[in-house]
Amino acid sequence: MDRPIPKIIVPKASPFDPWLWTLAWRDSRRSRRRLFLFMSSIVLGIAALVAINSFGDNLARSIDEQAKELVGADLVVSSGKEFAPDMYRFLRGVGLERSYETAFPSMIFFPKTQDTRLAQVKAVSGKFPYYGTWEAKPANSVKAFREGNQAKKPVAMVDDALLTQFNIRPGDSVKVGNVSFLIVGRSVKIPGETAVTATVAPSVYIPQQFLPETGLLQRGSRATYRIYYLFNKGANVDQFAKSVEPKLDKAGINYDTVSERKRDTGRAFEDLTKFLNLVAFVALLLGCVGVASAVHLYVKEKIAPVAVLRCIGVSGKQAFLIYLIQTTLMGLLGAILGAILGSAVQLLLPEVFADFLPVKVSLAISWISVLQGIGIGLLITIAFALLPLLVIRKVSPLRTLRTSYEEDVTGPDPLQWGIYGLIGLFITGFAYLQTHDWKVALGFTVGLLVAFAILTGLGRLLMVLVRKFFPVSWSYVWRQGLSNLYRPQNQTLILVISIGLGTFLIATLYLTQTLLLGRVQLSASGRQPNMVLFDIQTTQKEGVSQLVQQYKMPIIQNVPVVTMRLAAINGRPVEAIQKDTAAKIPDWALTREYRVTYRDTLIGSEKIDQGKLQKMESPTDTARISIEKGYLQRLKLKIGDKLTFNVQGALIPTIVGSAREVDWNRVQTNFLVVFPNGVLEQAPQFHVLMTRVDSAGHSAAFQRALVTRFPNVSAIDLGLILRTIDEILGKVSFVIRFMALFSIITGLLVLGSSVVISKYQRMQESVLLRTLGASQRQILYINLVEYLLLGLLAAFSGIILSIAGSWALAHFVFETPFTPDVIPLLAVAATVTGITILIGLFNSREVLVRPPLEVLRAEA
Amino acid sequence: MSILRVQDLTKTYQSGGRTLTVLDKVNFELQPGDTFSIVGPSGSGKTTLLGLCAGLDRASSGSVYLNDIRLDHLGEDERAAVRNQYVGFIFQNFQLLPTLTALENVMVPLELRGEKGVRRTAQELLDRVGLGQRGHHYPTQLSGGEQQRVSLARAFANRPKILFADEPTGNLDTDTSAKVVDLIFELNREAGTTLVLVTHDLELASRTGRIIRIKGGVVVSDTVTARENVWQGRE
Ligand SMILES: Nc1ncnc2c1ncn2[C@@H]1O[C@H](COP(=O)(O)OP(=O)(O)OP(=O)(O)O)[C@@H](O)[C@H]1O
Ligand SMILES: [Mg+2]
């Protein structure tokens, strides 16, 4: 008893202890392939992240390098109305060289095929673009167009896609207004334009000197006037632009310089890549869930050896470190593979984004993105792997003596909550970095959490239900397959989560796309107008109405439109309000051009919200105008406020008499501001007529007649808009689908690896069953039933979730009724289930074909 | 000075609101070099007692002194360190690490201590148990008896002061058990280790110097046999 008590030396658990690394290495020898399989599920997520970031990087660099080609000039000034004479004189004196452009929408007519279509007519002169090239077919057509322009010949360049659509070739002619032009070439791409802008408004280029002859531009017509400048080399364009900005601003002229466009374009694409980063991140998280579940199974298997190690004297922390080292190394390997794959996938992205890119992207490996991808991937993987790994610290050595020893952990582990918190923080932080908006970042995290929670809940519910209402009377195969869903070490939860989330992404994409299209289609159906005629001059009003009736089409609406600007609010000039930062009225509301109509009644899409619609009692009255409700709030106005409008130079005082609620979803000519009759009748104006045409043939015939009789009147066919929107949505959704693909393949990888991980257990069971006399066919069916149920549940959970999400989107964002199309969703469910079954069966085929004994020996 | 002292050791389990007393005030003391066996019917508490003595579990009351270190005052990691320094284990189901080779299994306790020349020492031990040629084999490639011999080599690797064995021959056939048992006693004598053996086999128990019999958690007899029996058993 007097003897000094021997000292206890507790070995330090250091992650740098070489012995731990050695043991981790040795221990992994026999399970390296499996370990790697766990990590394979993060490869795609990291690949997606690295690909998007690298591409974003290269894009930013390319935008930088080719900034001048974005604009095609050193400076562009543009105005929604003709330049005033003295301003024009000033602008003509600026820069080294200038090109002029007047752009406006107009009907064009191809005599050869008798086709008409609304196009963006650009009357041009000069050598624009000064930077970059105007891509055209044939290659020398631009030269031909310029020479023709100089020689005052009626020549035209027409958008390539437009010509292809109507099967017109260079050499044919196009009629714009009253003039017939010879088409000299197809315009493929001009600096500053992307494939998407070309889809929205295909361009027709004509020489500027023919503009008056076309007879298209009349007072009140909508047109944009631009001047493109080339400056001397080394001239400080930005400084010059800044110096004339006040002068231009006052005249309502916008300008754009190379550095400004560079910034805007860069920002737009940064936003895009950040959004896609979030999509990629979802794939990564999905992979992490896979990793966590795989590591969980792995740890379960390692509990017995850990107990032995603990008996021999290894501390809990050391044992934990051994397996942390293993998972970290495998995670690193997965991350590096992901980065390599991502750098390769990047090569595909210019194709994916082709229609959106303003510049040619030169691709190089972006080391920053690679390192970032590896870093983020590794961190999040370790965080997720830590959750199951923590258990190792608490493994009791007593397990060596008692195999049935059940609980190692008493109560929840506080560290586990710490890690959950860390993961949440990490996800929110990442989302914040991408969006720079805490609300959105939190929304993203909470949204993910909710999706996970719902899927987990559904998975649990399935297990409980199957257990509770177990169909005892069913055949053996079904009973066995069903019980596989809830027996120990089942894969139900993880598969429902990963496959469900993948399905959710795809189905939501599909639903939102149809939702947006449905909105437009809704207006195209029934007795709603589907053709809008605009730019009708007052003198043409009668004639156009007659033509419409002649073609047996109804005149649904025929309204006058007067353009004006706001001059003062309650006597205070808008310039003063603009300077007053406390006023908090958005600039665009003050400077925009207002298109206003006048009438004394409400139309079907309107309701009075405050005040009442008032007629002019006498011609000397101040006009009582009606303003749209939301707009009233944005301008911080109330009933009784005085607004002064500038109508082509004449100041007109008004009083806000009422606020209207407007249903913008109806195809109507809706207006922010409505004047009473008796004020604007004499102001310069044009008319808009709405009608309905029931067949494409009828529509074409009418448009032909319209173009011949009233060349300046434009017709917008809603069918055409519908097709255009469809096309653009198609392009956008292709990009998103490409990204969602990563999530889905990750889901399949998780599925594949979890099936492989549980293979051994299944083998033993199947071998036992076979020993007991079950046929191969029966075992096949048992597996089939299990994967069928899993796949079905996962697919339907995902679809239900996406229907809920899309409904919320429809209800709260687009405010339209939402009725999902069932058949395509069923097709998605069937496909997902089918793939699940295929992968499941493919992985368990070994159990079926190999003799039982051999299986046992190989796996022992 | 004693190597193992057990005082009023009691272990109870709470199950279904009732208290189950598995060990009730067990007392004994062992000197270095003693050989000792615990016998008793199934469920009597033998394994529980062994686990407590080796510091694998905590007692409900009473205390265990191992090499004069009071175990119930130590944390989990300190007890692990004590095990590494003073204790060797042999299990009924061998408990080799399945992912390591035979040689590596023997090396683990040595490496854990940060010793040098670990591989040679481990190889010598394997030679000693007659498995010098099988060092690179994994446990699944060895027979049960061979696995138990590897586990013996591992148990002696850290030159323990005390060796705990829970039914070391429970999973082996008669011939193999005899060989393993001989090896246990041989190695034990060479190293002068204290041996604590849990067994059903009374013949095996009689080869130790002292036998306690427990029944329902209570020591019912404590017999000292002639120490020489240990050697006699071999002839
Ligand atoms: N975690 C536990 N919870 C409740 N009771 C337990 C627990 N562990 C052991 N017991 C009970 O303690 C008693 C003694 O168990 P122990 O394993 O020590 O018996 P044993 O003598 O080693 O039996 P055997 O010869 O069968 O190995 C048994 O009745 C057992 O059911
Ligand atoms: Mg026992």
Side-chain angles (χ1 to χ4, degrees):
Chain A
M1 271 278 100
D2 311 319
R3 211 172 56 110
I5 291 174
K7 243 177 108 184
I8 309 158
I9 308 148
V10 179
K12 277 241 169 60
S14 154
F16 304 107
D17 184 345
W19 177 68
L20 291 182
W21 287 76
T22 316
L23 202 60
W25 178 254
R26 283 182 193 154
D27 179 71
S28 71
R29 249 177 335 215
R30 309 202 84 195
S31 40
R32 245 170 248 165
R33 263 176 58 200
R34 244 168 16 135
L35 266 172
F36 183 69
L37 200 63
F38 301 173
M39 292 307 166
S40 66
S41 39
I42 60 164
V43 168
L44 281 177
I46 292 177
L49 218 56
V50 169
I52 291 295
N53 274 326
S54 302
F55 180 68
D57 241 32
N58 286 322
L59 183 62
R61 193 168 35 79
S62 302
I63 287 176
D64 227 47
E65 285 165 2
Q66 301 162 48
K68 288 197 164 170
E69 278 120 84
L70 278 178
V71 192
D74 287 310
L75 175 74
V76 188
V77 299
S78 64
S79 167
K81 56 180 192 280
E82 230 171 319
F83 299 111
D86 52 338
M87 177 58 81
Y88 191 53
R89 220 169 298 121
F90 166 72
L91 290 173
R92 290 194 68 115
V94 172
L96 185 68
E97 254 189 67
R98 287 153 299 274
S99 296
Y100 299 87
E101 178 188 291
T102 307
F104 55 92
S106 168
M107 301 303 281
I108 56 164
F109 177 63
F110 296 112
K112 182 175 148 197
T113 55
Q114 297 280 302
D115 282 309
T116 60
R117 195 216 198 266
L118 186 67
Q120 188 73 9
V121 175
K122 291 180 173 169
V124 295
S125 70
K127 294 210 182 91
F128 178 80
Y130 299 113
Y131 302 106
T133 46
W134 184 354
E135 284 173 44
K137 284 186 280 190
N140 61 357
S141 58
V142 174
K143 194 162 161 255
F145 176 69
R146 287 209 179 114
E147 279 167 4
N149 198 337
Q150 218 110 62
K152 297 195 190 276
K153 281 199 205 131
V155 287
M157 293 285 287
V158 183
D159 179 78
D160 184 30
L162 189 61
L163 288 186
T164 309
Q165 183 192 346
F166 291 111
N167 200 17
I168 304 287
R169 280 183 209 88
D172 295 335
S173 63
V174 58
K175 200 159 176 238
V176 179
N178 299 324
V179 186
S180 209
F181 294 89
L182 173 73
I183 301 172
V184 293
R186 303 164 174 271
S187 168
V188 178
K189 192 165 185 289
I190 193 159
E193 204 180 50
T194 64
V196 167
T197 38
T199 310
V200 177
S203 299
V204 173
Y205 297 87
I206 58 168
Q208 184 140 48
Q209 62 260 43
F210 287 96
L211 188 53
E213 275 176 58
T214 61
L216 289 175
L217 271 197
Q218 318 206 352
R219 267 171 82 81
S221 302
R222 302 160 310 150
T224 309
Y225 300 80
R226 288 192 191 90
I227 306 178
Y228 298 92
Y229 290 97
L230 175 69
F231 276 69
N232 274 316
K233 269 213 173 64
N236 191 336
V237 183
D238 286 294
Q239 199 178 16
F240 169 75
K242 266 270 159 310
S243 71
V244 295
E245 190 177 324
K247 184 172 173 164
L248 297 180
D249 261 5
K250 208 163 157 197
I253 298 173
N254 294 320
Y255 72 88
D256 206 357
T257 63
V258 171
S259 50
E260 221 160 283
R261 181 76 64 92
K262 192 166 90 184
R263 211 167 38 233
D264 292 349
T265 316
R267 210 174 284 151
F269 277 94
E270 221 170 275
D271 287 348
L272 178 69
T273 50
K274 280 177 171 174
F275 166 71
L276 293 177
N277 252 334
L278 285 182
V279 181
F281 194 58
V282 172
L284 179 59
L285 285 180
L286 214 57
C288 285
V289 174
V291 167
S293 86
V295 171
H296 178 71
L297 286 185
Y298 185 64
V299 164
K300 264 191 184 167
E301 214 172 276
K302 289 294 175 188
I303 285 199
V306 166
V308 176
L309 284 174
R310 303 279 284 123
C311 259
I312 296 174
V314 172
S315 74
K317 209 168 155 202
Q318 282 177 316
F320 166 74
L321 279 175
I322 290 170
Y323 293 99
L324 183 62
I325 288 170
Q326 279 184 0
T327 34
T328 306
L329 283 181
M330 283 299 155
L332 186 65
L333 195 63
I336 290 172
L337 262 181
I340 293 172
L341 186 66
S343 296
V345 166
Q346 188 207 161
L347 301 175
L348 293 177
L349 292 182
E351 286 304 312
V352 176
F353 289 101
D355 291 328
F356 299 92
L357 296 180
V359 293
K360 276 211 163 56
V361 182
S362 59
L363 296 172
I365 291 178
S366 157
W367 292 109
I368 292 189
S369 310
V370 166
L371 285 180
Q372 247 179 14
I374 293 178
I376 290 173
L378 198 56
L379 267 179
I380 189 94
T381 309
I382 292 176
F384 271 87
L386 273 178
L387 287 173
L389 280 178
L390 281 181
V391 173
I392 288 185
R393 297 174 314 145
K394 300 274 175 93
V395 170
S396 165
L398 208 54
R399 268 185 183 273
T400 46
L401 298 177
R402 240 184 258 297
T403 40
S404 62
Y405 195 82
E406 272 182 8
E407 269 149 86
D408 288 296
V409 200
T410 42
D413 189 341
L415 251 180
Q416 200 164 359
W417 290 110
I419 290 172
Y420 278 127
L422 212 69
I423 290 175
L425 218 66
F426 189 83
I427 296 174
T428 319
F430 183 85
Y432 176 74
L433 276 183
Q434 304 305 325
T435 57
H436 291 288
D437 184 338
W438 279 117
K439 267 196 216 149
V440 175
L442 270 176
F444 177 76
T445 313
V446 171
L448 267 180
L449 219 69
V450 169
F452 270 92
I454 290 178
L455 288 172
T456 312
L458 284 171
R460 286 242 159 87
L461 190 71
L462 176 79
M463 287 195 268
V464 170
L465 287 181
V466 168
R467 211 172 200 160
K468 187 153 184 194
F469 301 105
F470 195 78
V472 195
S473 57
W474 288 15
S475 77
Y476 168 71
V477 165
W478 274 89
R479 275 180 293 140
Q480 185 68 29
L482 277 169
S483 64
N484 277 356
L485 290 175
Y486 62 78
R487 62 160 178 210
Q489 297 210 5
N490 64 70
Q491 305 291 299
T492 306
L493 269 189
I494 177 65
L495 289 189
V496 168
I497 291 176
S498 56
I499 301 175
L501 217 55
T503 314
F504 166 65
L505 280 180
I506 297 209
T508 309
L509 265 175
Y510 166 77
L511 286 177
T512 12
Q513 194 179 340
T514 46
L515 191 72
L516 289 175
L517 271 181
R519 238 160 85 89
V520 188
Q521 257 152 3
L522 188 73
S523 8
S525 64
R527 294 312 300 163
Q528 297 260 22
N530 65 0
M531 186 183 272
V532 184
L533 308 181
F534 59 92
D535 276 354
I536 306 169
Q537 303 299 310
T538 310
T539 52
Q540 300 170 321
K541 194 177 155 190
E542 277 310 302
V544 172
S545 298
Q546 273 168 16
L547 187 68
V548 169
Q549 277 159 343
Q550 202 180 312
Y551 273 83
K552 307 250 180 316
M553 287 150 54
I555 295 175
I556 298 173
Q557 252 189 334
N558 192 355
V559 294
V561 176
V562 180
T563 59
M564 56 183 73
R565 277 167 203 281
L566 198 58
I569 300 177
N570 289 326
R572 214 166 155 217
V574 288
E575 290 81 13
I577 302 172
Q578 261 179 296
K579 286 197 191 98
D580 178 3
T581 46
K584 294 223 169 78
I585 295 175
D587 243 19
W588 55 262
L590 296 171
T591 57
R592 66 173 287 164
E593 188 180 61
Y594 288 78
R595 290 174 212 285
V596 170
T597 194
Y598 51 89
R599 51 180 145 84
D600 286 337
T601 49
L602 291 176
I603 57 168
S605 56
E606 297 174 326
K607 262 203 327 252
I608 284 290
D609 183 64
Q610 300 166 49
K612 63 179 204 287
L613 216 56
Q614 291 172 51
K615 289 184 183 153
M616 294 289 282
E617 296 301 334
S618 83
T620 51
D621 257 7
T622 309
R624 305 275 172 162
I625 59 169
S626 175
I627 300 212
E628 194 260 335
K629 180 185 160 195
Y631 201 69
L632 190 82
Q633 286 159 4
R634 253 169 292 164
L635 257 76
K636 308 215 169 0
L637 293 174
K638 56 187 183 307
I639 305 292
D641 277 346
K642 295 190 177 71
L643 301 183
T644 311
F645 285 97
N646 179 336
V647 184
Q648 320 269 323
L651 292 180
I652 299 183
T654 64
I655 294 173
V656 180
S658 65
R660 287 161 305 133
E661 209 178 309
V662 176
D663 177 6
W664 295 100
N665 289 324
R666 302 265 294 272
V667 179
Q668 299 274 1
T669 41
N670 287 315
F671 294 90
L672 291 177
V673 178
V674 174
F675 272 60
N677 284 331
V679 186
L680 297 172
E681 274 75 358
Q682 300 311 314
Q685 55 193 273
F686 60 88
H687 298 261
V688 174
L689 189 148
M690 294 201 144
T691 179
R692 177 170 184 87
V693 54
D694 285 320
S695 76
H698 200 72
S699 167
F702 171 74
Q703 287 187 51
R704 265 198 299 278
L706 184 77
V707 163
T708 338
R709 299 250 320 261
F710 306 100
N712 66 298
V713 174
S714 297
I716 294 181
D717 190 339
L718 272 180
L720 186 70
I721 294 185
L722 208 66
R723 281 196 294 280
T724 311
I725 292 180
D726 198 16
E727 217 170 295
I728 292 170
L729 284 180
K731 282 171 181 168
V732 172
S733 66
F734 172 63
V735 170
I736 299 179
R737 255 188 226 142
F738 182 80
M739 296 307 300
L741 200 67
F742 284 90
S743 300
I744 289 158
I745 299 181
T746 299
L748 295 180
L749 269 177
V750 171
L751 169 68
S753 64
S754 44
V755 170
V756 170
I757 290 158
S758 61
K759 192 157 81 180
Y760 177 51
Q761 192 198 353
R762 268 143 206 266
M763 287 221 187
Q764 284 184 313
E765 208 177 76
S766 300
V767 166
L768 192 68
L769 287 175
R770 278 175 69 184
T771 320
L772 293 178
S775 68
Q776 289 196 358
R777 177 179 291 248
Q778 276 173 316
I779 292 170
L780 180 78
Y781 283 156
I782 290 170
N783 286 331
L784 194 82
V785 165
E786 183 187 352
Y787 289 115
L788 173 75
L789 286 170
L790 270 178
L792 275 180
L793 181 81
F796 278 103
S797 306
I799 283 172
I800 288 168
L801 211 60
S802 86
I803 288 179
S806 307
W807 175 84
L809 220 62
H811 190 75
F812 296 110
V813 181
F814 300 121
E815 300 184 357
T816 52
F818 172 62
T819 36
D821 212 347
V822 179
I823 291 171
L825 288 180
L826 285 180
V828 170
T831 314
V832 170
T833 313
I835 292 175
T836 310
I837 294 175
L838 271 181
I839 291 188
L841 290 187
F842 181 75
N843 269 318
S844 36
R845 73 197 184 287
E846 216 176 327
V847 181
L848 297 174
V849 292
R850 283 168 64 185
L853 198 64
E854 198 185 317
V855 174
L856 277 185
R857 199 174 291 139
E859 293 293 327
Chain B
M1 172 197 136
S2 62
I3 183 74
L4 180 68
R5 189 147 51 90
V6 171
Q7 280 181 345
D8 290 338
L9 197 63
T10 302
K11 179 77 183 174
T12 56
Y13 285 109
Q14 302 293 334
S15 65
R18 275 193 293 158
T19 309
L20 181 70
T21 306
V22 178
L23 285 179
D24 196 5
K25 299 215 168 133
V26 176
N27 286 287
F28 63 84
E29 186 169 348
L30 295 180
Q31 302 305 318
D34 279 357
T35 55
F36 177 71
S37 44
I38 304 167
V39 297
S42 182
S44 56
K46 305 182 296 288
T47 298
T48 310
L49 180 59
L50 186 86
L52 287 170
C53 291
L56 298 180
D57 201 1
R58 276 173 196 279
S60 306
S61 70
S63 46
V64 176
Y65 293 86
L66 203 148
N67 201 29
D68 286 341
I69 303 167
R70 188 166 171 180
L71 291 184
D72 39 321
H73 284 177
L74 300 182
E76 188 58 59
D77 282 347
E78 287 166 314
R79 280 188 276 150
V82 169
R83 287 197 289 275
N84 182 241
Q85 275 170 279
Y86 306 115
V87 179
F89 282 101
I90 305 171
F91 306 95
Q92 177 175 0
N93 48 357
F94 325 134
Q95 300 282 19
L96 292 177
L97 296 165
T99 51
L100 302 188
T101 61
L103 184 69
E104 286 164 354
N105 261 289
V106 180
M107 282 157 67
V108 171
L110 294 165
E111 288 175 313
L112 187 57
R113 295 170 149 211
E115 285 187 14
K116 297 240 154 55
V118 165
R119 191 171 286 270
R120 226 189 51 223
T121 317
Q123 184 61 48
E124 280 166 15
L125 277 159
L126 274 185
D127 287 340
R128 180 67 191 81
V129 298
L131 291 171
Q133 304 303 312
R134 310 293 299 274
H136 58 283
H137 283 153
Y138 287 98
T140 47
Q141 295 164 317
L142 300 173
S143 74
E146 287 162 344
Q147 287 188 47
Q148 195 59 307
R149 274 144 70 195
V150 174
S151 119
L152 256 173
R154 185 180 67 185
F156 280 101
N158 59 340
R159 291 173 298 278
K161 283 194 158 28
I162 185 163
L163 183 70
F164 292 99
D166 190 7
E167 312 262 13
T169 56
N171 279 4
L172 301 175
D173 64 64
T174 329
D175 278 359
T176 320
S177 338
K179 280 184 203 143
V180 168
V181 168
D182 286 350
L183 204 50
I184 292 176
F185 282 105
E186 257 173 60
L187 286 169
N188 191 60
R189 182 166 44 99
E190 282 167 23
T193 314
T194 308
L195 174 68
V196 178
L197 188 69
V198 165
T199 183
H200 276 116
D201 183 350
L202 290 178
E203 201 180 328
L204 174 58
S206 69
R207 291 173 67 170
T208 60
R210 182 174 166 195
I211 303 171
I212 64 168
R213 185 181 300 273
I214 54 177
K215 205 171 180 180
V218 188
V219 179
V220 290
S221 79
D222 188 341
T223 332
V224 179
T225 57
R227 243 194 159 206
E228 286 66 34
N229 280 358
V230 179
W231 324 130
Q232 282 168 2
R234 283 176 59 222
E235 264 100 50

